[in-house]
Amino acid sequence: MTLRLVELDSENLPAVVRIPPAVGEKAYVAPVVFSIAEAYVTPTAWPRAIVDDDEVVGFVMANWDPDNEIEAFRGGIWRLNVAEAAKGRGIGRFAVEQVADEARRRGYERITVLWDPAPDGPEQFYLRVGFRPGGELFGETVGVLAL
Ligand SMILES: CC(C)(COP(=O)(O)OP(=O)(O)OC[C@H]1O[C@@H](n2cnc3c(N)ncnc32)[C@H](O)[C@@H]1OP(=O)(O)O)[C@@H](O)C(=O)NCCC(=O)NCCS
């Protein structure tokens, strides 16, 4: 596997928007097409395709907004979607590490993520890759990863 994060472009966009969930599907993360729309109107958003060689295997969106009045929104993972066939191969972990590296380059000492605490949600993944529960916001758990 040769994993990389790359900026979205007209070539990878069709594969990126096909990553689950589909619009209308019940899930713990928004459809990628919604995230890209949010990125379009959010200058601090940092959307990236996760590619293995040239194949799109996921999507991650960070947000870098150090002056946000809500601490949990100052910097970290906003969205993370791994393609169904690519799950369980370390791609989610890779994306978290890449966002953490980018945060270090920007001078952050911690990143955050919000997750739904439901038993079949992504909590175990985030705990496994090093996040620790650090509060609650809008009914979700605020996860904190010290860098
Ligand atoms: C959650 C998600 C991002 C994980 O991605 P992934 O590429 O399958 O995860 P990885 O293979 O990198 O797993 C990293 C570690 O977490 C563990 N893990 C991953 N999903 C897990 C789960 N559901 N329960 C328990 N452990 C889990 C893996 O076993 C692995 O542990 P290891 O390093 O000890 O082997 C992916 O399943 C996904 O896209 N889910 C749907 C969308 C979602 O919930 N996104 C997050 C909300 S923002």
Side-chain angles (χ1 to χ4, degrees):
M1 273 205 303
T2 316
L3 292 172
R4 290 176 297 140
L5 294 193
V6 299
E7 290 190 37
L8 304 193
D9 59 27
S10 55
E11 296 218 341
N12 61 33
L13 187 69
V16 172
V17 297
R18 277 200 300 271
I19 296 167
V23 174
E25 189 181 330
K26 194 174 174 328
Y28 291 110
V29 68
V32 175
V33 71
F34 288 10
S35 298
I36 295 172
E38 285 168 313
Y40 186 75
V41 295
T42 310
T44 53
W46 193 83
R48 293 291 184 274
I50 311 169
V51 300
D52 180 11
D53 290 328
D54 284 330
E55 185 194 353
V56 173
V57 291
F59 170 81
V60 63
M61 187 156 90
N63 192 36
W64 309 119
D65 187 11
D67 298 326
N68 197 301
E69 61 190 39
I70 300 176
E71 202 180 346
F73 294 158
R74 290 185 189 155
I77 294 176
W78 187 359
R79 299 280 160 67
L80 173 58
N81 310 55
V82 173
E84 205 54 43
K87 282 183 184 172
R89 286 170 23 197
I91 289 161
R93 181 186 286 280
F94 171 80
V96 169
E97 288 167 357
Q98 293 293 302
V99 170
D101 283 352
E102 179 66 20
R104 285 188 197 94
R105 284 192 283 274
R106 291 168 181 261
Y108 283 85
E109 292 176 356
R110 65 211 292 268
I111 55 172
T112 52
V113 68
L114 265 61
W115 69 70
D116 187 317
D120 58 344
E123 179 168 73
Q124 292 308 317
F125 163 74
Y126 282 121
L127 295 176
R128 192 79 196 152
V129 299
F131 283 87
R132 291 295 164 256
E136 200 195 296
L137 198 59
F138 310 129
E140 300 212 304
T141 301
V142 179
V144 179
L145 179 68
L147 301 177

PDB file of all heavy atoms in Angstrom, residues 37-76:
ATOM      1  N   ALA A  37     -19.535  20.313   0.037  1.00  0.00           N
ATOM      2  CA  ALA A  37     -20.332  21.546  -0.010  1.00  0.00           C
ATOM      3  C   ALA A  37     -20.000  22.434   1.191  1.00  0.00           C
ATOM      4  O   ALA A  37     -19.841  23.650   1.059  1.00  0.00           O
ATOM      5  CB  ALA A  37     -21.821  21.201  -0.036  1.00  0.00           C
ATOM      6  N   GLU A  38     -19.845  21.822   2.363  1.00  0.00           N
ATOM      7  CA  GLU A  38     -19.485  22.603   3.558  1.00  0.00           C
ATOM      8  C   GLU A  38     -18.093  23.213   3.403  1.00  0.00           C
ATOM      9  O   GLU A  38     -17.844  24.361   3.790  1.00  0.00           O
ATOM     10  CB  GLU A  38     -19.546  21.717   4.804  1.00  0.00           C
ATOM     11  CG  GLU A  38     -20.972  21.439   5.221  1.00  0.00           C
ATOM     12  CD  GLU A  38     -21.075  20.347   6.269  1.00  0.00           C
ATOM     13  OE1 GLU A  38     -20.443  19.289   6.116  1.00  0.00           O
ATOM     14  OE2 GLU A  38     -21.794  20.555   7.240  1.00  0.00           O
ATOM     15  N   ALA A  39     -17.182  22.438   2.811  1.00  0.00           N
ATOM     16  CA  ALA A  39     -15.828  22.952   2.598  1.00  0.00           C
ATOM     17  C   ALA A  39     -15.854  24.168   1.668  1.00  0.00           C
ATOM     18  O   ALA A  39     -15.088  25.119   1.843  1.00  0.00           O
ATOM     19  CB  ALA A  39     -14.947  21.854   2.006  1.00  0.00           C
ATOM     20  N   TYR A  40     -16.745  24.143   0.695  1.00  0.00           N
ATOM     21  CA  TYR A  40     -16.839  25.238  -0.279  1.00  0.00           C
ATOM     22  C   TYR A  40     -17.177  26.569   0.407  1.00  0.00           C
ATOM     23  O   TYR A  40     -16.722  27.618  -0.014  1.00  0.00           O
ATOM     24  CB  TYR A  40     -17.901  24.883  -1.324  1.00  0.00           C
ATOM     25  CG  TYR A  40     -18.004  25.862  -2.460  1.00  0.00           C
ATOM     26  CD1 TYR A  40     -17.040  25.891  -3.464  1.00  0.00           C
ATOM     27  CD2 TYR A  40     -19.056  26.765  -2.517  1.00  0.00           C
ATOM     28  CE1 TYR A  40     -17.132  26.804  -4.505  1.00  0.00           C
ATOM     29  CE2 TYR A  40     -19.157  27.681  -3.550  1.00  0.00           C
ATOM     30  CZ  TYR A  40     -18.188  27.699  -4.539  1.00  0.00           C
ATOM     31  OH  TYR A  40     -18.270  28.598  -5.554  1.00  0.00           O
ATOM     32  N   VAL A  41     -17.961  26.487   1.498  1.00  0.00           N
ATOM     33  CA  VAL A  41     -18.376  27.718   2.183  1.00  0.00           C
ATOM     34  C   VAL A  41     -17.633  27.925   3.514  1.00  0.00           C
ATOM     35  O   VAL A  41     -17.989  28.791   4.300  1.00  0.00           O
ATOM     36  CB  VAL A  41     -19.915  27.739   2.423  1.00  0.00           C
ATOM     37  CG1 VAL A  41     -20.646  27.791   1.097  1.00  0.00           C
ATOM     38  CG2 VAL A  41     -20.372  26.549   3.261  1.00  0.00           C
ATOM     39  N   THR A  42     -16.617  27.103   3.776  1.00  0.00           N
ATOM     40  CA  THR A  42     -15.865  27.200   5.034  1.00  0.00           C
ATOM     41  C   THR A  42     -14.380  27.341   4.712  1.00  0.00           C
ATOM     42  O   THR A  42     -13.703  26.338   4.437  1.00  0.00           O
ATOM     43  CB  THR A  42     -16.107  25.937   5.910  1.00  0.00           C
ATOM     44  OG1 THR A  42     -17.515  25.699   6.009  1.00  0.00           O
ATOM     45  CG2 THR A  42     -15.509  26.098   7.296  1.00  0.00           C
ATOM     46  N   PRO A  43     -13.854  28.549   4.728  1.00  0.00           N
ATOM     47  CA  PRO A  43     -12.465  28.753   4.300  1.00  0.00           C
ATOM     48  C   PRO A  43     -11.442  27.973   5.125  1.00  0.00           C
ATOM     49  O   PRO A  43     -10.341  27.701   4.644  1.00  0.00           O
ATOM     50  CB  PRO A  43     -12.251  30.261   4.475  1.00  0.00           C
ATOM     51  CG  PRO A  43     -13.603  30.861   4.600  1.00  0.00           C
ATOM     52  CD  PRO A  43     -14.527  29.802   5.084  1.00  0.00           C
ATOM     53  N   THR A  44     -11.793  27.603   6.374  1.00  0.00           N
ATOM     54  CA  THR A  44     -10.842  26.903   7.242  1.00  0.00           C
ATOM     55  C   THR A  44     -10.863  25.385   7.024  1.00  0.00           C
ATOM     56  O   THR A  44     -10.060  24.670   7.617  1.00  0.00           O
ATOM     57  CB  THR A  44     -11.160  27.200   8.724  1.00  0.00           C
ATOM     58  OG1 THR A  44     -12.545  26.888   8.954  1.00  0.00           O
ATOM     59  CG2 THR A  44     -10.921  28.658   9.053  1.00  0.00           C
ATOM     60  N   ALA A  45     -11.782  24.898   6.199  1.00  0.00           N
ATOM     61  CA  ALA A  45     -11.890  23.445   5.977  1.00  0.00           C
ATOM     62  C   ALA A  45     -10.709  22.941   5.149  1.00  0.00           C
ATOM     63  O   ALA A  45     -10.170  23.666   4.305  1.00  0.00           O
ATOM     64  CB  ALA A  45     -13.198  23.109   5.281  1.00  0.00           C
ATOM     65  N   TRP A  46     -10.341  21.701   5.393  1.00  0.00           N
ATOM     66  CA  TRP A  46      -9.153  21.094   4.756  1.00  0.00           C
ATOM     67  C   TRP A  46      -9.548  19.689   4.269  1.00  0.00           C
ATOM     68  O   TRP A  46      -9.268  18.700   4.918  1.00  0.00           O
ATOM     69  CB  TRP A  46      -8.039  21.048   5.806  1.00  0.00           C
ATOM     70  CG  TRP A  46      -6.655  20.767   5.376  1.00  0.00           C
ATOM     71  CD1 TRP A  46      -5.756  21.659   4.870  1.00  0.00           C
ATOM     72  CD2 TRP A  46      -5.941  19.515   5.495  1.00  0.00           C
ATOM     73  NE1 TRP A  46      -4.541  21.039   4.664  1.00  0.00           N
ATOM     74  CE2 TRP A  46      -4.626  19.736   5.032  1.00  0.00           C
ATOM     75  CE3 TRP A  46      -6.301  18.241   5.947  1.00  0.00           C
ATOM     76  CZ2 TRP A  46      -3.667  18.729   5.004  1.00  0.00           C
ATOM     77  CZ3 TRP A  46      -5.344  17.235   5.925  1.00  0.00           C
ATOM     78  CH2 TRP A  46      -4.043  17.483   5.448  1.00  0.00           C
ATOM     79  N   PRO A  47     -10.251  19.610   3.123  1.00  0.00           N
ATOM     80  CA  PRO A  47     -10.708  18.309   2.628  1.00  0.00           C
ATOM     81  C   PRO A  47      -9.623  17.626   1.788  1.00  0.00           C
ATOM     82  O   PRO A  47      -8.970  18.284   0.970  1.00  0.00           O
ATOM     83  CB  PRO A  47     -11.906  18.690   1.745  1.00  0.00           C
ATOM     84  CG  PRO A  47     -11.623  20.080   1.283  1.00  0.00           C
ATOM     85  CD  PRO A  47     -10.723  20.740   2.292  1.00  0.00           C
ATOM     86  N   ARG A  48      -9.465  16.324   1.964  1.00  0.00           N
ATOM     87  CA  ARG A  48      -8.453  15.582   1.215  1.00  0.00           C
ATOM     88  C   ARG A  48      -8.985  14.191   0.834  1.00  0.00           C
ATOM     89  O   ARG A  48      -9.708  13.557   1.629  1.00  0.00           O
ATOM     90  CB  ARG A  48      -7.183  15.366   2.054  1.00  0.00           C
ATOM     91  CG  ARG A  48      -6.394  16.650   2.384  1.00  0.00           C
ATOM     92  CD  ARG A  48      -5.751  17.237   1.158  1.00  0.00           C
ATOM     93  NE  ARG A  48      -4.910  18.409   1.416  1.00  0.00           N
ATOM     94  CZ  ARG A  48      -5.328  19.670   1.496  1.00  0.00           C
ATOM     95  NH1 ARG A  48      -6.628  19.942   1.389  1.00  0.00           N
ATOM     96  NH2 ARG A  48      -4.472  20.662   1.662  1.00  0.00           N
ATOM     97  N   ALA A  49      -8.616  13.743  -0.362  1.00  0.00           N
ATOM     98  CA  ALA A  49      -8.881  12.351  -0.729  1.00  0.00           C
ATOM     99  C   ALA A  49      -7.756  11.492  -0.161  1.00  0.00           C
ATOM    100  O   ALA A  49      -6.596  11.919  -0.123  1.00  0.00           O
ATOM    101  CB  ALA A  49      -8.912  12.215  -2.249  1.00  0.00           C
ATOM    102  N   ILE A  50      -8.106  10.291   0.289  1.00  0.00           N
ATOM    103  CA  ILE A  50      -7.087   9.322   0.709  1.00  0.00           C
ATOM    104  C   ILE A  50      -6.910   8.372  -0.467  1.00  0.00           C
ATOM    105  O   ILE A  50      -7.891   7.740  -0.899  1.00  0.00           O
ATOM    106  CB  ILE A  50      -7.528   8.536   1.965  1.00  0.00           C
ATOM    107  CG1 ILE A  50      -8.046   9.481   3.060  1.00  0.00           C
ATOM    108  CG2 ILE A  50      -6.376   7.672   2.484  1.00  0.00           C
ATOM    109  CD1 ILE A  50      -8.752   8.764   4.221  1.00  0.00           C
ATOM    110  N   VAL A  51      -5.698   8.283  -1.015  1.00  0.00           N
ATOM    111  CA  VAL A  51      -5.490   7.429  -2.172  1.00  0.00           C
ATOM    112  C   VAL A  51      -4.420   6.379  -1.874  1.00  0.00           C
ATOM    113  O   VAL A  51      -3.473   6.621  -1.132  1.00  0.00           O
ATOM    114  CB  VAL A  51      -5.117   8.222  -3.452  1.00  0.00           C
ATOM    115  CG1 VAL A  51      -6.213   9.215  -3.818  1.00  0.00           C
ATOM    116  CG2 VAL A  51      -3.801   8.946  -3.297  1.00  0.00           C
ATOM    117  N   ASP A  52      -4.638   5.211  -2.460  1.00  0.00           N
ATOM    118  CA  ASP A  52      -3.680   4.109  -2.375  1.00  0.00           C
ATOM    119  C   ASP A  52      -3.187   3.903  -3.806  1.00  0.00           C
ATOM    120  O   ASP A  52      -3.960   3.466  -4.662  1.00  0.00           O
ATOM    121  CB  ASP A  52      -4.393   2.864  -1.841  1.00  0.00           C
ATOM    122  CG  ASP A  52      -3.453   1.684  -1.739  1.00  0.00           C
ATOM    123  OD1 ASP A  52      -2.231   1.882  -1.884  1.00  0.00           O
ATOM    124  OD2 ASP A  52      -3.953   0.567  -1.515  1.00  0.00           O
ATOM    125  N   ASP A  53      -1.933   4.211  -4.070  1.00  0.00           N
ATOM    126  CA  ASP A  53      -1.444   4.375  -5.447  1.00  0.00           C
ATOM    127  C   ASP A  53      -2.345   5.428  -6.101  1.00  0.00           C
ATOM    128  O   ASP A  53      -2.331   6.555  -5.659  1.00  0.00           O
ATOM    129  CB  ASP A  53      -1.425   3.050  -6.210  1.00  0.00           C
ATOM    130  CG  ASP A  53      -0.318   2.137  -5.659  1.00  0.00           C
ATOM    131  OD1 ASP A  53       0.717   2.664  -5.221  1.00  0.00           O
ATOM    132  OD2 ASP A  53      -0.509   0.919  -5.648  1.00  0.00           O
ATOM    133  N   ASP A  54      -3.178   5.032  -7.078  1.00  0.00           N
ATOM    134  CA  ASP A  54      -4.059   6.051  -7.661  1.00  0.00           C
ATOM    135  C   ASP A  54      -5.526   5.786  -7.359  1.00  0.00           C
ATOM    136  O   ASP A  54      -6.414   6.462  -7.883  1.00  0.00           O
ATOM    137  CB  ASP A  54      -3.842   6.125  -9.178  1.00  0.00           C
ATOM    138  CG  ASP A  54      -2.545   6.859  -9.497  1.00  0.00           C
ATOM    139  OD1 ASP A  54      -2.157   7.742  -8.702  1.00  0.00           O
ATOM    140  OD2 ASP A  54      -1.916   6.522 -10.503  1.00  0.00           O
ATOM    141  N   GLU A  55      -5.775   4.816  -6.486  1.00  0.00           N
ATOM    142  CA  GLU A  55      -7.161   4.465  -6.178  1.00  0.00           C
ATOM    143  C   GLU A  55      -7.654   5.244  -4.958  1.00  0.00           C
ATOM    144  O   GLU A  55      -6.967   5.281  -3.916  1.00  0.00           O
ATOM    145  CB  GLU A  55      -7.241   2.958  -5.889  1.00  0.00           C
ATOM    146  CG  GLU A  55      -8.646   2.458  -5.685  1.00  0.00           C
ATOM    147  CD  GLU A  55      -8.666   1.054  -5.062  1.00  0.00           C
ATOM    148  OE1 GLU A  55      -7.573   0.458  -4.933  1.00  0.00           O
ATOM    149  OE2 GLU A  55      -9.749   0.596  -4.703  1.00  0.00           O
ATOM    150  N   VAL A  56      -8.819   5.866  -5.084  1.00  0.00           N
ATOM    151  CA  VAL A  56      -9.398   6.590  -3.954  1.00  0.00           C
ATOM    152  C   VAL A  56      -9.964   5.573  -2.961  1.00  0.00           C
ATOM    153  O   VAL A  56     -10.816   4.763  -3.329  1.00  0.00           O
ATOM    154  CB  VAL A  56     -10.505   7.553  -4.430  1.00  0.00           C
ATOM    155  CG1 VAL A  56     -11.217   8.183  -3.237  1.00  0.00           C
ATOM    156  CG2 VAL A  56      -9.912   8.638  -5.333  1.00  0.00           C
ATOM    157  N   VAL A  57      -9.478   5.614  -1.709  1.00  0.00           N
ATOM    158  CA  VAL A  57      -9.946   4.658  -0.696  1.00  0.00           C
ATOM    159  C   VAL A  57     -10.619   5.347   0.487  1.00  0.00           C
ATOM    160  O   VAL A  57     -11.094   4.675   1.404  1.00  0.00           O
ATOM    161  CB  VAL A  57      -8.787   3.761  -0.197  1.00  0.00           C
ATOM    162  CG1 VAL A  57      -8.327   2.804  -1.296  1.00  0.00           C
ATOM    163  CG2 VAL A  57      -7.622   4.597   0.320  1.00  0.00           C
ATOM    164  N   GLY A  58     -10.657   6.676   0.475  1.00  0.00           N
ATOM    165  CA  GLY A  58     -11.321   7.355   1.579  1.00  0.00           C
ATOM    166  C   GLY A  58     -11.292   8.858   1.413  1.00  0.00           C
ATOM    167  O   GLY A  58     -10.771   9.402   0.422  1.00  0.00           O
ATOM    168  N   PHE A  59     -11.896   9.505   2.396  1.00  0.00           N
ATOM    169  CA  PHE A  59     -12.001  10.969   2.403  1.00  0.00           C
ATOM    170  C   PHE A  59     -11.830  11.433   3.837  1.00  0.00           C
ATOM    171  O   PHE A  59     -12.396  10.834   4.760  1.00  0.00           O
ATOM    172  CB  PHE A  59     -13.381  11.387   1.875  1.00  0.00           C
ATOM    173  CG  PHE A  59     -13.694  12.847   2.060  1.00  0.00           C
ATOM    174  CD1 PHE A  59     -13.194  13.795   1.178  1.00  0.00           C
ATOM    175  CD2 PHE A  59     -14.495  13.277   3.117  1.00  0.00           C
ATOM    176  CE1 PHE A  59     -13.477  15.145   1.340  1.00  0.00           C
ATOM    177  CE2 PHE A  59     -14.791  14.616   3.281  1.00  0.00           C
ATOM    178  CZ  PHE A  59     -14.274  15.551   2.387  1.00  0.00           C
ATOM    179  N   VAL A  60     -11.028  12.454   4.027  1.00  0.00           N
ATOM    180  CA  VAL A  60     -10.896  13.037   5.368  1.00  0.00           C
ATOM    181  C   VAL A  60     -10.986  14.548   5.242  1.00  0.00           C
ATOM    182  O   VAL A  60     -10.485  15.123   4.259  1.00  0.00           O
ATOM    183  CB  VAL A  60      -9.576  12.595   6.066  1.00  0.00           C
ATOM    184  CG1 VAL A  60      -8.327  13.076   5.339  1.00  0.00           C
ATOM    185  CG2 VAL A  60      -9.563  13.051   7.526  1.00  0.00           C
ATOM    186  N   MET A  61     -11.665  15.170   6.186  1.00  0.00           N
ATOM    187  CA  MET A  61     -11.723  16.638   6.196  1.00  0.00           C
ATOM    188  C   MET A  61     -11.355  17.117   7.589  1.00  0.00           C
ATOM    189  O   MET A  61     -11.986  16.738   8.579  1.00  0.00           O
ATOM    190  CB  MET A  61     -13.108  17.136   5.796  1.00  0.00           C
ATOM    191  CG  MET A  61     -13.153  18.646   5.633  1.00  0.00           C
ATOM    192  SD  MET A  61     -14.497  19.124   4.524  1.00  0.00           S
ATOM    193  CE  MET A  61     -15.839  19.340   5.667  1.00  0.00           C
ATOM    194  N   ALA A  62     -10.296  17.922   7.642  1.00  0.00           N
ATOM    195  CA  ALA A  62      -9.918  18.569   8.899  1.00  0.00           C
ATOM    196  C   ALA A  62     -10.455  19.993   8.875  1.00  0.00           C
ATOM    197  O   ALA A  62     -10.985  20.466   7.861  1.00  0.00           O
ATOM    198  CB  ALA A  62      -8.400  18.565   9.058  1.00  0.00           C
ATOM    199  N   ASN A  63     -10.315  20.674  10.001  1.00  0.00           N
ATOM    200  CA  ASN A  63     -10.679  22.092  10.066  1.00  0.00           C
ATOM    201  C   ASN A  63      -9.628  22.793  10.904  1.00  0.00           C
ATOM    202  O   ASN A  63      -9.266  22.314  11.983  1.00  0.00           O
ATOM    203  CB  ASN A  63     -12.070  22.248  10.704  1.00  0.00           C
ATOM    204  CG  ASN A  63     -12.613  23.650  10.538  1.00  0.00           C
ATOM    205  OD1 ASN A  63     -12.390  24.298   9.511  1.00  0.00           O
ATOM    206  ND2 ASN A  63     -13.312  24.146  11.546  1.00  0.00           N
ATOM    207  N   TRP A  64      -9.079  23.872  10.367  1.00  0.00           N
ATOM    208  CA  TRP A  64      -8.021  24.615  11.078  1.00  0.00           C
ATOM    209  C   TRP A  64      -8.533  26.019  11.365  1.00  0.00           C
ATOM    210  O   TRP A  64      -8.503  26.880  10.501  1.00  0.00           O
ATOM    211  CB  TRP A  64      -6.738  24.656  10.230  1.00  0.00           C
ATOM    212  CG  TRP A  64      -6.302  23.305   9.745  1.00  0.00           C
ATOM    213  CD1 TRP A  64      -6.180  22.891   8.464  1.00  0.00           C
ATOM    214  CD2 TRP A  64      -5.922  22.186  10.565  1.00  0.00           C
ATOM    215  NE1 TRP A  64      -5.762  21.580   8.428  1.00  0.00           N
ATOM    216  CE2 TRP A  64      -5.593  21.128   9.706  1.00  0.00           C
ATOM    217  CE3 TRP A  64      -5.836  21.968  11.945  1.00  0.00           C
ATOM    218  CZ2 TRP A  64      -5.184  19.874  10.161  1.00  0.00           C
ATOM    219  CZ3 TRP A  64      -5.433  20.723  12.400  1.00  0.00           C
ATOM    220  CH2 TRP A  64      -5.113  19.703  11.524  1.00  0.00           C
ATOM    221  N   ASP A  65      -9.026  26.207  12.573  1.00  0.00           N
ATOM    222  CA  ASP A  65      -9.707  27.455  12.930  1.00  0.00           C
ATOM    223  C   ASP A  65      -9.295  27.827  14.365  1.00  0.00           C
ATOM    224  O   ASP A  65     -10.099  27.765  15.294  1.00  0.00           O
ATOM    225  CB  ASP A  65     -11.227  27.220  12.819  1.00  0.00           C
ATOM    226  CG  ASP A  65     -12.023  28.491  13.003  1.00  0.00           C
ATOM    227  OD1 ASP A  65     -11.432  29.592  13.010  1.00  0.00           O
ATOM    228  OD2 ASP A  65     -13.257  28.374  13.133  1.00  0.00           O
ATOM    229  N   PRO A  66      -8.009  28.187  14.565  1.00  0.00           N
ATOM    230  CA  PRO A  66      -7.464  28.320  15.921  1.00  0.00           C
ATOM    231  C   PRO A  66      -8.167  29.359  16.787  1.00  0.00           C
ATOM    232  O   PRO A  66      -8.060  29.298  18.020  1.00  0.00           O
ATOM    233  CB  PRO A  66      -6.001  28.714  15.687  1.00  0.00           C
ATOM    234  CG  PRO A  66      -5.889  29.112  14.253  1.00  0.00           C
ATOM    235  CD  PRO A  66      -7.002  28.432  13.520  1.00  0.00           C
ATOM    236  N   ASP A  67      -8.898  30.307  16.168  1.00  0.00           N
ATOM    237  CA  ASP A  67      -9.556  31.344  16.972  1.00  0.00           C
ATOM    238  C   ASP A  67     -11.023  31.033  17.266  1.00  0.00           C
ATOM    239  O   ASP A  67     -11.727  31.862  17.841  1.00  0.00           O
ATOM    240  CB  ASP A  67      -9.463  32.697  16.245  1.00  0.00           C
ATOM    241  CG  ASP A  67      -8.015  33.122  16.072  1.00  0.00           C
ATOM    242  OD1 ASP A  67      -7.212  32.812  16.981  1.00  0.00           O
ATOM    243  OD2 ASP A  67      -7.682  33.719  15.030  1.00  0.00           O
ATOM    244  N   ASN A  68     -11.491  29.848  16.876  1.00  0.00           N
ATOM    245  CA  ASN A  68     -12.898  29.511  17.119  1.00  0.00           C
ATOM    246  C   ASN A  68     -13.209  29.596  18.617  1.00  0.00           C
ATOM    247  O   ASN A  68     -12.422  29.138  19.441  1.00  0.00           O
ATOM    248  CB  ASN A  68     -13.194  28.098  16.606  1.00  0.00           C
ATOM    249  CG  ASN A  68     -14.682  27.864  16.450  1.00  0.00           C
ATOM    250  OD1 ASN A  68     -15.458  27.967  17.406  1.00  0.00           O
ATOM    251  ND2 ASN A  68     -15.099  27.565  15.236  1.00  0.00           N
ATOM    252  N   GLU A  69     -14.367  30.186  18.947  1.00  0.00           N
ATOM    253  CA  GLU A  69     -14.683  30.343  20.370  1.00  0.00           C
ATOM    254  C   GLU A  69     -14.954  29.001  21.051  1.00  0.00           C
ATOM    255  O   GLU A  69     -14.802  28.872  22.265  1.00  0.00           O
ATOM    256  CB  GLU A  69     -15.856  31.305  20.575  1.00  0.00           C
ATOM    257  CG  GLU A  69     -17.153  30.853  19.926  1.00  0.00           C
ATOM    258  CD  GLU A  69     -18.208  31.946  19.947  1.00  0.00           C
ATOM    259  OE1 GLU A  69     -17.835  33.117  19.743  1.00  0.00           O
ATOM    260  OE2 GLU A  69     -19.385  31.600  20.152  1.00  0.00           O
ATOM    261  N   ILE A  70     -15.313  27.987  20.274  1.00  0.00           N
ATOM    262  CA  ILE A  70     -15.510  26.647  20.848  1.00  0.00           C
ATOM    263  C   ILE A  70     -14.206  25.870  20.690  1.00  0.00           C
ATOM    264  O   ILE A  70     -13.737  25.623  19.571  1.00  0.00           O
ATOM    265  CB  ILE A  70     -16.678  25.913  20.150  1.00  0.00           C
ATOM    266  CG1 ILE A  70     -17.964  26.721  20.321  1.00  0.00           C
ATOM    267  CG2 ILE A  70     -16.837  24.495  20.699  1.00  0.00           C
ATOM    268  CD1 ILE A  70     -19.165  26.150  19.610  1.00  0.00           C
ATOM    269  N   GLU A  71     -13.628  25.498  21.820  1.00  0.00           N
ATOM    270  CA  GLU A  71     -12.302  24.871  21.810  1.00  0.00           C
ATOM    271  C   GLU A  71     -12.262  23.616  20.929  1.00  0.00           C
ATOM    272  O   GLU A  71     -11.284  23.379  20.207  1.00  0.00           O
ATOM    273  CB  GLU A  71     -11.902  24.529  23.249  1.00  0.00           C
ATOM    274  CG  GLU A  71     -10.409  24.388  23.413  1.00  0.00           C
ATOM    275  CD  GLU A  71     -10.021  24.059  24.848  1.00  0.00           C
ATOM    276  OE1 GLU A  71     -10.863  24.206  25.761  1.00  0.00           O
ATOM    277  OE2 GLU A  71      -8.871  23.631  25.033  1.00  0.00           O
ATOM    278  N   ALA A  72     -13.345  22.840  20.975  1.00  0.00           N
ATOM    279  CA  ALA A  72     -13.381  21.575  20.223  1.00  0.00           C
ATOM    280  C   ALA A  72     -13.374  21.790  18.710  1.00  0.00           C
ATOM    281  O   ALA A  72     -13.184  20.844  17.947  1.00  0.00           O
ATOM    282  CB  ALA A  72     -14.615  20.774  20.632  1.00  0.00           C
ATOM    283  N   PHE A  73     -13.593  23.032  18.271  1.00  0.00           N
ATOM    284  CA  PHE A  73     -13.631  23.313  16.830  1.00  0.00           C
ATOM    285  C   PHE A  73     -12.384  24.046  16.335  1.00  0.00           C
ATOM    286  O   PHE A  73     -12.339  24.532  15.219  1.00  0.00           O
ATOM    287  CB  PHE A  73     -14.879  24.136  16.478  1.00  0.00           C
ATOM    288  CG  PHE A  73     -16.183  23.393  16.686  1.00  0.00           C
ATOM    289  CD1 PHE A  73     -17.366  24.083  16.866  1.00  0.00           C
ATOM    290  CD2 PHE A  73     -16.219  22.004  16.690  1.00  0.00           C
ATOM    291  CE1 PHE A  73     -18.573  23.409  17.055  1.00  0.00           C
ATOM    292  CE2 PHE A  73     -17.405  21.321  16.880  1.00  0.00           C
ATOM    293  CZ  PHE A  73     -18.590  22.021  17.068  1.00  0.00           C
ATOM    294  N   ARG A  74     -11.364  24.130  17.173  1.00  0.00           N
ATOM    295  CA  ARG A  74     -10.178  24.919  16.771  1.00  0.00           C
ATOM    296  C   ARG A  74      -9.279  24.174  15.800  1.00  0.00           C
ATOM    297  O   ARG A  74      -8.601  24.791  14.982  1.00  0.00           O
ATOM    298  CB  ARG A  74      -9.397  25.350  18.016  1.00  0.00           C
ATOM    299  CG  ARG A  74     -10.188  26.383  18.774  1.00  0.00           C
ATOM    300  CD  ARG A  74      -9.459  26.971  19.953  1.00  0.00           C
ATOM    301  NE  ARG A  74     -10.413  27.790  20.697  1.00  0.00           N
ATOM    302  CZ  ARG A  74     -10.318  28.080  21.973  1.00  0.00           C
ATOM    303  NH1 ARG A  74      -9.292  27.639  22.677  1.00  0.00           N
ATOM    304  NH2 ARG A  74     -11.237  28.817  22.559  1.00  0.00           N
ATOM    305  N   GLY A  75      -9.257  22.849  15.913  1.00  0.00           N
ATOM    306  CA  GLY A  75      -8.416  22.114  14.982  1.00  0.00           C
ATOM    307  C   GLY A  75      -8.572  20.625  15.163  1.00  0.00           C
ATOM    308  O   GLY A  75      -8.507  20.117  16.280  1.00  0.00           O
ATOM    309  N   GLY A  76      -8.802  19.917  14.059  1.00  0.00           N
ATOM    310  CA  GLY A  76      -8.929  18.466  14.171  1.00  0.00           C
ATOM    311  C   GLY A  76      -9.724  17.882  13.027  1.00  0.00           C
ATOM    312  O   GLY A  76      -9.874  18.510  11.974  1.00  0.00           O
TER     313      GLY A  76
END
